[in-house]
Amino acid sequence: MARPVVYTDFDGVLNAFPDDKVLRRGGQAHLDWLKDGDPRKTLYDVRNAFLLDRTRRVPTPMGKFRVRWSAELTDALHAMALVGDIELNWLSTWQPFTAALNETLSWGPEIVSTVNWYDPVSGQGRLTGKRRTVFCRVEAECQFADSAPIVWIDDEECYDSVAMQLESLNPASPVLMVHPDDRIGISRRQWRLIERFVDDPASFEPVTLDEEPTLHNRSGHIGF
């Protein structure tokens, strides 16, 4: 089995969108004001969520965008690619500006590739391009005896009906779909799951969908 291929979104996955009130009151280090039993207390606790210890306004031709991320998490993902354990790919609407993301996160451009999955001028492909990218890779891997497992991390695209569509393709190697809660991005539990998958993908079902238990209906985050 070849090394796993990782497709990762940015907004809601690495770039988190905490509640405004949590940010105004000091972030994850200051949760005492939350009442016992408030689910946000567990959600933002650093035993559950990576500490969002980095923030920056990233310049793009469309303006500057505030991003918040965990250096611990992004360093771990980059290190996994650096040692050759995974093939790392951006699959994000930040597609035209991933060079700025790499610089912001201190990711080597030779370590992570960018999938060109939509036309940034016309917008063509934005509705279905991510799924098409992953589906095509799954189908392509079926042609190889040494097929690669796939990890797809996205807070808007990874859900039940898409998992069922992937299952219908009869993947040659396991696929792990990770759906984070965009208020914290990838949780510590989900990161441990990704590590286990990369270490031993054969122990997983053909398609595994992991959704963070704290997910709830939201109006959506602000990003590309």
Side-chain angles (χ1 to χ4, degrees), residues 5 7 28 30 55 95 103 113-114 119 138 144 159 185 189 194 208:
V5 176
Y7 292 106
Q28 290 164 280
H30 303 278
T55 182
Q95 171 193 304
E103 182 177 357
S113 300
T114 299
D119 186 323
V138 168
F144 302 105
Y159 46 87
R189 181 194 61 80
I194 292 168
T208 300

Side-chain angles (χ1 to χ4, degrees), residues 64-222:
K64 292 183 178 181
F65 291 83
R66 171 74 66 184
V67 300
R68 291 181 175 84
W69 75 99
S70 163
E72 180 185 356
L73 174 60
T74 57
D75 287 353
L77 184 54
H78 183 262
M80 191 178 279
L82 186 63
V83 299
D85 287 343
I86 60 172
E87 173 195 310
L88 182 58
N89 302 277
W90 284 119
L91 186 59
S92 168
T93 46
W94 281 77
Q95 171 193 304
F97 314 119
T98 53
L101 293 186
N102 291 338
E103 182 177 357
T104 298
L105 303 179
S106 298
W107 281 13
E110 73 284 0
I111 300 301
V112 56
S113 300
T114 299
V115 178
N116 294 310
W117 58 277
Y118 77 98
D119 186 323
V121 177
S122 68
Q124 183 177 359
R126 282 190 63 144
L127 292 179
T128 59
K130 286 185 176 182
R131 275 167 280 170
R132 184 175 64 249
T133 295
V134 177
F135 285 20
C136 287
R137 185 62 182 260
V138 168
E139 291 177 326
E141 291 298 331
C142 289
Q143 309 303 313
F144 302 105
D146 189 27
S147 58
I150 293 173
V151 181
W152 183 17
I153 315 169
D154 197 292
D155 68 310
E156 294 182 326
E157 297 278 351
C158 293
Y159 46 87
D160 287 336
S161 62
V162 179
M164 292 174 63
Q165 293 173 39
L166 280 171
E167 287 177 347
S168 71
L169 299 178
N170 296 314
S173 288
V175 178
L176 173 63
M177 303 169 66
V178 178
H179 186 162
D181 185 319
D182 66 4
R183 293 172 293 178
I184 61 171
I186 298 171
S187 68
R188 291 188 182 276
R189 181 194 61 80
Q190 288 181 320
W191 177 247
R192 290 192 295 268
L193 179 66
I194 292 168
E195 288 183 311
R196 290 202 302 272
F197 183 88
V198 170
D199 184 59
D200 186 18
S203 66
F204 283 72
E205 297 295 323
V207 177
T208 300
L209 170 62
D210 183 86
E211 297 180 297
E212 190 63 21
T214 53
L215 286 171
H216 62 140
N217 292 329
R218 310 193 68 194
S219 59
H221 55 242
I222 299 173

Side-chain angles (χ1 to χ4, degrees), residues 5-89:
V5 176
V6 174
Y7 292 106
T8 186
D9 190 14
F10 181 63
D11 289 331
V13 172
L14 299 175
N15 177 30
F17 298 89
D19 295 293
D20 288 341
K21 193 169 185 180
V22 171
L23 290 175
R24 290 197 306 270
R25 297 203 174 190
Q28 290 164 280
H30 303 278
L31 300 176
D32 292 344
W33 60 275
L34 290 169
K35 295 180 180 179
D36 290 341
D38 189 320
R40 291 175 297 177
K41 205 161 191 176
T42 300
L43 173 69
Y44 292 111
D45 191 297
V46 293
R47 290 169 293 185
N48 175 67
F50 286 93
L51 178 63
L52 301 172
D53 59 346
R54 297 288 189 272
T55 182
R56 183 175 300 175
R57 291 177 64 83
V58 179
T60 76
M62 298 172 61
K64 292 183 178 181
F65 291 83
R66 171 74 66 184
V67 300
R68 291 181 175 84
W69 75 99
S70 163
E72 180 185 356
L73 174 60
T74 57
D75 287 353
L77 184 54
H78 183 262
M80 191 178 279
L82 186 63
V83 299
D85 287 343
I86 60 172
E87 173 195 310
L88 182 58
N89 302 277

